[in-house]
Amino acid sequence: MRSFKSSVFILVFHLLEGALSNSLIQLNNNGYEGIVIAIDPNVPEDETLIQNIKDMVTQASPYLFEATEKRFYFKSVAILIPEKWKTKPEYVRPKLETYKNADVLVAEPNTPGDDEPYTEQMGNCGEKGERINFTPDFLAGKKLDIYGPQGRVFVHEWAHLRWGVFDEYNNNQKFYLLNGKREAVRCSARIAGKYQAEHCQGGSCAWKPCKIDQATGLYKEGCEFIPNKFQTEKASIMFSPSINSVVEFCTEKNHNKEAPNPQNQKCNLRSTWEVIRDSEDFQKTTPMTTQPPAPTFSLLQIGQRIVCLVLDKSGSMTNGDRLNRLNQAGKLFLLQIVEQGSWAGMVTFDSAAHVQSELVQINSAAERDALTKRLPAVAAGGTSICSGLRSAFAVIRKKFSTDGSEIVLLTDGEDNTISSCFNEVKQSGAVIHTVALGPSAAKELEELSKMTGGLQTYASDQAQNNGLIDAFGALSSGNGAASQRAIQLESRGLTLQNNQWMNGTVLVDSTVGKDTLFLITWTTQPPQILLSDPSGKKQDGLVVDTSTRMAYLQIPGTAKVGTWSYSLKASSQTLTLTVTSRASSATLPPITVTSKMSKDQGKFPSPMAVYAKIHQGSSPILRATVTAIIESVNGKTVNLELLDNGAGADATKDDGIYSRYFTAYDTNGRYSVKVRALGGINAAGQRVRPQQNGAMHMPGWIENGEIKWNPPRPEISKNELDGNQVCFSRTTSGGSFVASGVPQAPIPDRFPPCQITDLKAKIQGNKFINLTWTAPGDDYDHGRALKYIIKISASILDLRDNFTESLQVNTSDLIPKEANSKEVFVFTPENIPFENGTDLFIAVQAVDKSNLKSEISNIVGVSLFIPPPTPPEIPTPPCPDINVNSTIPGLHILKIMWKWLGELQLSVALG
């Protein structure tokens, strides 16, 4: 039987094969190179920030080196400096480094004072994260007591980013019971401190020992674990690197496996060091025998955008109306997407290259119109992609270096010589975005975007899917401020018959509206077009281009906020409608949607995960309706509802990242991805504090026996939340991926139910155990599983490592619900001791109709707590009937004694 650890490693390696990442980081002889730290364009100019970044990395490198047993260090870092900052001789132009592929972003917080460092993690345990987020105040050392030294925190975040580990604290459950004892969620358990809570009475407050909740046995809400400032325990960095003695990650020897923290929940009780040890980085390195050098830094300043279109006009472009569709998409890019002040040029190619336009700076509509007139009108000849690329390099070099320039390469043809210019592409320093059009585009095309960090997209010949326009619409600058980028609000298409109407609405929210464009295309005859603003006023001024079969309307100024409506009437042809806009204000962040696949290559039956991130600045948008539309090379489309529920493919609930597994392969070849997001229609998009993976906000410290409290985390007020509910609509391209190994139909069932990752348990009535979880599906998170297997054990490791031999719970009455439904199951433990102080551990496994089994769920524990009985009240004995006027000697003394004894018994009873 294969060991648990080896099977987990193989699973993680299998999932990460072909993983899609835009990061430029390389591990070279134990040193991390190519790290990109970007300063957001909206950060005010401050040269000390650059030095603060250097200091953080320089301090972090030896800390990382020792924490990883002399295996890793930071070798080289590029710092991206905003274009609006003053230029300096030491600032050079970036090559492949952009804001889109930055590993660390330094930006102002949405809520002033909320300087919590965190890392975006879309994937599960062992999968690389997306980006680390810091604020200028954090880097300036203004939050030292709260989060710890900046260099140490960087190593904490690096472990999230690079190795896919998780935090070893839990803000949602700070305490747990184990062997009848209350424990703080921490790692290791040897970290010492006190339990304190704020008690207020009569207008004054003081911190006192925590009170116990008699129902649960845990400390009452408001209780905090306050660590000692100075300790000897060395682990763990993923709990809090701010503790002075902490210099290591938890290992299997000191890992607190019973603590209900994200690391245990997501990584099957493995310590952070075990996950790091299973990483690809660890497998290909050995410890160093010498001290590493200090990190080196390059200072890169963003410049004007330089982009050259390289467009295929070979004979095959006459198929499927491709050349005309290229003209429609090219016009959208030149009229709307490419930013003002950019430089743009154009090259076409067949068996040779042809320069259509040298670089021109776009300062007005005149330059845009002139460029659109250079789009290819005739298609003929063969396909030589390298000729087109070499010509584009020459065009750019007439005015600029190719470093940091962009090439948009579109082709529909096969070219077996494309690899001959790979070295030239690598040496150029240019970013190449690829657009594969139709089923026969060169198979090596995506290698160009992969090696340069460009976007890879695919568009089928199905015009109603609007794939080509979506691909060009996604090509806004990776370096401009968010307020300058084009944002796609809508993208729809429909084939109409017999004077049918294509009706719909478009939401223009308050965060967008500038430079709004409505674009309509058709395949044969101009349709009847009716367009109205939110007040019902019909819009005039459509520019109709019959040669390209498109019409567009540019809304002057800022478009009205509200619901715009359109009606398009036609017969026997395909219509599409696309709406783009820009931010309404340079200071109000627009709501943005970015989408990606977990991998750029999917090998059946390995599932792909679709991700869509919906944010306004750094704040997530929650409860939106998000749909991914995935189209295969056959033209077949699949709609997936993406969810932010912390189950299935979704790593974290309510973080504004919506996810779902894709298993509906129907053929080998390219697949395109488009995401549509709506808020405020079926759900309210609402901004709240994100659920973040990052450094812990330390409530305070015990120093010399006294508690020194830190300022509390800033809270978002209810009024602020209510004010940010917003109706919006967005569509965006999620790029493309290539599938292989898909068998011919009928495709066999090779997909098990997904792992349950949000299992929760609680004691109910001192007798029952109440379980809740999100239902998996028949195929990962789709459909309905056949049954559940629930096992219990008094040993958490026995349950993990010997699940099949553990005690099974009777689930004959438990019928699985549809995937992503809430499951509730209540049972009484049988054939196992369950008395006061008993700890039980529980896990669930789902089984589908093909008897394929999921991984076992996250393991949860319950501890039976029966509060001690309240002592019975002792009744006060009645006083004897004594006449106070009696003349019996000493009688008044006897009366006093009786009274005193009664009061004494009462005081004992009240305790």
Side-chain angles (χ1 to χ4, degrees):
M1 180 177 169
R2 181 185 291 164
S3 73
F4 169 81
K5 293 178 183 176
S6 64
S7 64
V8 167
F9 172 70
I10 291 169
L11 171 66
V12 169
F13 185 81
H14 183 56
L15 288 174
L16 293 182
E17 190 178 6
L20 182 59
S21 174
N22 292 325
S23 176
L24 303 178
I25 296 172
Q26 297 289 328
L27 180 59
N28 184 11
N29 293 328
N30 300 86
Y32 287 109
E33 302 175 332
I35 303 165
V36 178
I37 301 179
I39 301 172
D40 187 81
N42 292 322
V43 171
E45 184 167 356
D46 180 5
E47 282 188 44
T48 60
L49 181 56
I50 297 173
Q51 187 59 47
N52 292 339
I53 292 170
K54 291 181 177 181
D55 291 344
M56 176 187 70
V57 179
T58 302
Q59 293 162 13
S61 190
Y63 188 66
L64 174 70
F65 185 69
E66 295 300 329
T68 57
E69 299 178 353
K70 306 185 187 308
R71 198 174 285 267
F72 305 118
Y73 70 98
F74 296 122
K75 190 173 184 180
S76 67
V77 174
I79 301 175
L80 275 185
I81 298 167
E83 182 180 358
K84 291 182 179 179
W85 286 28
K86 293 175 185 174
T87 58
K88 287 195 166 188
E90 60 266 34
Y91 297 170
V92 299
R93 184 176 173 86
K95 292 187 177 181
L96 305 182
E97 300 88 353
T98 69
Y99 281 99
K100 285 186 176 179
N101 62 26
D103 305 293
V104 182
L105 180 67
V106 180
E108 298 286 352
N110 272 27
T111 303
D114 189 5
D115 297 287
E116 190 167 311
Y118 69 96
T119 302
E120 299 168 33
Q121 288 181 271
M122 290 185 177
N124 292 306
C125 184
E127 298 183 34
K128 289 183 175 68
E130 296 299 303
R131 175 177 291 175
I132 297 169
N133 293 267
F134 292 132
T135 68
D137 278 359
F138 167 78
L139 290 171
K142 296 180 181 180
K143 307 292 178 177
L144 202 61
D145 285 337
I146 298 175
Y147 302 111
Q150 299 93 306
R152 286 173 163 236
V153 173
F154 185 37
V155 172
H156 174 102
E157 303 305 330
W158 184 262
H160 283 304
L161 179 78
R162 188 67 187 177
W163 303 310
V165 300
F166 290 86
D167 292 318
E168 291 173 330
Y169 65 91
N170 189 342
N171 282 331
N172 297 320
Q173 185 182 344
K174 297 182 179 182
F175 310 103
Y176 66 104
L177 284 174
L178 184 66
N179 298 322
K181 184 181 176 184
R182 284 164 288 278
E183 295 282 358
V185 175
R186 65 200 191 280
C187 195
S188 81
R190 291 193 291 266
I191 291 173
K194 291 183 179 179
Y195 301 97
Q196 294 283 302
E198 190 176 33
H199 295 271
C200 299
Q201 189 172 7
S204 63
C205 296
W207 288 88
K208 297 181 179 180
C210 297
K211 292 184 177 179
I212 298 170
D213 186 332
Q214 293 299 314
T216 64
L218 296 173
Y219 292 117
K220 288 186 175 181
E221 189 174 350
C223 182
E224 297 284 359
F225 174 71
I226 313 299
N228 296 334
K229 182 72 173 177
F230 301 102
Q231 314 215 19
T232 57
E233 179 56 32
K234 293 184 177 182
S236 168
I237 290 170
M238 297 315 292
F239 172 69
S240 178
S242 60
I243 297 173
N244 71 313
S245 62
V246 168
V247 293
E248 298 175 355
F249 295 99
C250 263
T251 69
E252 56 264 54
K253 294 180 181 179
N254 58 10
H255 178 56
N256 189 6
K257 57 189 175 299
E258 289 88 2
N261 58 39
Q263 173 66 21
N264 280 328
Q265 292 165 356
K266 296 178 181 294
C267 297
N268 287 313
L269 312 180
R270 289 184 299 157
S271 66
T272 52
W273 186 243
E274 288 174 275
V275 177
I276 294 169
R277 203 170 54 203
D278 285 345
S279 69
E280 183 184 358
D281 290 354
F282 197 98
Q283 299 297 318
K284 65 181 184 182
T285 55
T286 56
M288 294 175 63
T289 56
T290 59
Q291 289 296 309
T296 60
F297 299 91
S298 55
L299 304 181
L300 313 177
Q301 187 165 33
I302 302 301
Q304 295 168 320
R305 188 181 190 189
I306 302 163
V307 60
C308 187
L309 299 179
V310 179
L311 307 175
D312 188 345
K313 71 173 194 68
S314 61
S316 57
M317 287 293 289
T318 59
N319 299 332
D321 201 28
R322 292 175 189 167
L323 189 66
N324 189 67
R325 290 173 58 215
L326 163 60
N327 274 262
Q328 294 168 347
K331 280 196 171 184
L332 173 69
F333 178 79
L334 294 168
L335 292 174
Q336 178 72 1
I337 304 302
V338 68
E339 296 79 9
Q340 199 80 347
S342 301
W343 291 82
M346 190 186 305
V347 169
T348 58
F349 66 91
D350 39 48
S351 52
H354 316 275
V355 176
Q356 300 298 327
S357 173
E358 302 290 349
L359 288 178
V360 296
Q361 190 170 26
I362 297 175
N363 293 315
S364 67
E367 290 85 13
R368 295 180 185 274
D369 289 337
L371 282 165
T372 63
K373 290 179 172 60
R374 307 304 300 169
L375 288 164
V378 178
T383 303
S384 177
I385 292 171
C386 285
S387 295
L389 291 174
R390 292 184 181 114
S391 182
F393 293 151
V395 166
I396 294 168
R397 287 176 180 137
K398 286 182 181 179
K399 283 189 177 292
F400 304 101
S401 163
T402 51
D403 286 348
S405 63
E406 296 173 70
I407 289 174
V408 178
L409 170 63
L410 176 143
T411 184
D412 76 333
E414 295 184 8
D415 182 354
N416 55 16
T417 66
I418 188 172
S419 60
S420 65
C421 58
F422 279 1
N423 285 334
E424 293 168 72
V425 168
K426 290 176 184 176
Q427 296 299 319
S428 72
V431 176
I432 299 182
H433 309 291
T434 57
V435 183
L437 178 57
S440 302
K443 288 181 171 53
E444 292 177 295
L445 183 65
E446 283 81 5
E447 291 298 320
L448 294 168
S449 51
K450 207 180 300 182
M451 71 176 66
T452 63
L455 179 66
Q456 66 177 55
T457 55
Y458 160 70
S460 74
D461 285 331
Q462 305 298 315
Q464 71 271 18
N465 294 333
N466 214 22
L468 197 53
I469 284 178
D470 291 337
F472 276 78
L475 294 171
S476 59
S477 171
N479 285 328
S483 59
Q484 299 171 352
R485 297 176 195 151
I487 297 170
Q488 191 165 282
L489 307 186
E490 185 58 283
S491 169
R492 287 190 181 275
L494 191 64
T495 299
L496 302 179
Q497 305 292 340
N498 301 324
N499 289 318
Q500 289 180 314
W501 288 89
M502 175 177 162
N503 300 313
T505 59
V506 179
L507 288 169
V508 176
D509 60 271
S510 61
T511 71
V512 295
K514 278 189 178 178
D515 200 17
T516 302
L517 180 84
F518 285 77
L519 173 70
I520 296 102
T521 71
W522 57 89
T523 50
T524 55
Q525 296 293 325
Q528 182 180 344
I529 301 172
L530 302 175
L531 178 64
S532 301
D533 70 11
S535 68
K537 181 182 177 182
K538 291 184 179 179
Q539 302 296 297
D540 299 318
L542 273 166
V543 177
V544 179
D545 182 350
T546 54
S547 62
T548 314
R549 301 195 290 276
M550 61 184 285
Y552 57 90
L553 174 67
Q554 189 85 45
I555 307 298
T558 302
K560 284 185 179 180
V561 173
T563 302
W564 291 65
S565 60
Y566 61 87
S567 295
L568 313 177
K569 184 181 180 182
S571 295
S572 303
Q573 63 169 324
T574 298
L575 307 183
T576 72
L577 176 129
T578 306
V579 183
T580 65
S581 188
R582 282 186 166 83
S584 59
S585 165
T587 57
L588 175 67
I591 294 172
T592 58
V593 178
T594 54
S595 177
K596 60 173 280 186
M597 298 297 295
S598 57
K599 294 176 282 187
D600 54 21
Q601 294 182 347
K603 188 172 183 179
F604 184 89
S606 174
M608 303 283 287
V610 194
Y611 302 118
K613 175 184 172 183
I614 309 179
H615 274 57
Q616 185 178 12
S618 60
S619 295
I621 299 293
L622 307 184
R623 290 175 285 282
T625 300
V626 186
T627 306
I629 301 124
I630 300 177
E631 181 187 7
S632 73
V633 71
N634 286 342
K636 178 184 174 183
T637 59
V638 174
N639 289 358
L640 291 180
E641 181 186 5
L642 307 187
L643 302 170
D644 187 14
N645 61 353
D650 194 60
T652 306
K653 184 178 181 179
D654 288 345
D655 63 350
I657 297 171
Y658 297 73
S659 318
R660 199 75 181 270
Y661 284 116
F662 170 73
T663 59
Y665 296 98
D666 72 297
T667 187
N668 293 309
R670 294 183 174 99
Y671 289 68
S672 68
V673 184
K674 177 161 74 174
V675 168
R676 174 173 287 112
L678 297 172
I681 297 175
N682 296 321
Q686 188 170 316
R687 298 193 307 147
V688 299
R689 174 182 290 281
Q691 299 290 316
Q692 295 173 161
N693 301 303
M696 178 168 62
H697 183 286
M698 191 63 71
W701 297 99
I702 298 173
E703 194 171 350
N704 297 324
E706 293 185 3
I707 298 177
K708 295 185 177 180
W709 295 97
N710 289 322
R713 297 174 77 195
E715 295 296 334
I716 301 174
S717 69
K718 185 178 185 301
N719 289 338
E720 185 178 347
L721 289 176
D722 292 342
N724 285 304
Q725 293 180 1
V726 61
C727 298
F728 71 94
S729 65
R730 299 287 187 273
T731 61
T732 185
S733 170
S736 64
F737 65 93
V738 178
S740 62
V742 181
Q744 291 185 346
I747 296 174
D749 182 4
R750 299 282 300 279
F751 300 109
C754 65
Q755 181 190 27
I756 296 165
T757 57
D758 62 348
L759 180 65
K760 294 181 177 63
K762 63 181 180 180
I763 299 292
Q764 186 173 308
N766 293 339
K767 182 180 178 183
F768 304 103
I769 296 177
N770 180 296
L771 300 180
T772 60
W773 68 91
T774 301
D778 178 83
D779 296 337
Y780 285 88
D781 52 6
H782 303 277
R784 186 195 299 259
L786 179 67
K787 64 179 181 179
Y788 293 118
I789 299 171
I790 300 178
K791 299 286 185 89
I792 59 176
S793 175
S795 166
I796 194 168
L797 289 183
D798 278 352
L799 184 60
R800 183 190 73 174
D801 298 335
N802 300 293
F803 181 80
T804 54
E805 286 82 29
S806 297
L807 185 63
Q808 185 161 338
V809 175
N810 184 352
T811 57
S812 57
D813 295 333
L814 177 58
I815 300 173
K817 296 179 181 177
E818 194 71 20
N820 298 300
S821 303
K822 183 180 180 181
E823 298 276 24
V824 179
F825 182 65
V826 179
F827 70 97
T828 303
E830 296 177 351
N831 303 317
I832 192 169
F834 192 53
E835 54 196 24
N836 197 20
T838 299
D839 299 319
L840 284 183
F841 300 97
I842 307 146
V844 182
Q845 186 176 54
V847 185
D848 72 6
K849 60 182 181 293
S850 300
N851 204 35
L852 298 173
K853 296 177 180 179
S854 71
E855 295 291 317
I856 68 168
S857 69
N858 61 297
I859 298 176
V860 294
V862 292
S863 186
L864 183 57
F865 172 78
I866 301 174
T870 305
E873 246 185 71
I874 302 175
T876 303
C879 292
D881 187 12
I882 298 174
N883 185 352
V884 295
N885 296 320
S886 173
T887 59
I888 299 173
L891 193 58
H892 66 287
I893 297 173
L894 185 60
K895 176 189 174 184
I896 292 169
M897 290 179 65
W898 274 111
K899 183 179 180 183
W900 177 79
L901 284 170
E903 290 176 349
L904 178 62
Q905 287 186 348
L906 179 62
S907 66
V908 170
L910 293 176

